[in-house]
Amino acid sequence: MATQQPAAEMRQQLTEVFGRAEYPVTEPFELIPLLPDGPATTFEAGGVTISAMDLGMGYAEYQEYPYESAEALVADLMTGLRDDGRFE
């Protein structure tokens, strides 16, 4: 069985966590209760580790609230991670 590419693995982790939100989500603070370790939650894939706090603050320019779905939120976060050179 083939392993997932790091970007796909990160997308899956983000989707699993943020998929539990009640949409629409109007601001990032609504997502904090979903994080297993609160703002200290980290996501790891293929040698890339990023904290939820870094996602919220460091990639804020990529986020356009409100979000109607987890897929839209995760797509914007992944765009930021790619633009930052964390994934191809």
Side-chain angles (χ1 to χ4, degrees), residues 17-25 31 34 67-71 73:
V17 170
F18 298 132
R20 295 190 295 251
E22 286 189 32
Y23 288 87
V25 171
L31 301 172
L34 304 173
Y67 281 99
E68 297 295 326
S69 69
E71 292 78 16
L73 170 60

Side-chain angles (χ1 to χ4, degrees), residues 45-59:
V48 173
T49 301
I50 189 158
S51 72
M53 188 68 104
D54 285 341
L55 278 175
M57 304 282 288
Y59 297 93

Side-chain angles (χ1 to χ4, degrees), residues 22-43:
E22 286 189 32
Y23 288 87
V25 171
T26 58
E27 63 177 351
F29 297 106
E30 293 176 45
L31 301 172
I32 293 172
L34 304 173
L35 301 169
D37 295 321
T41 298
T42 57
F43 299 94

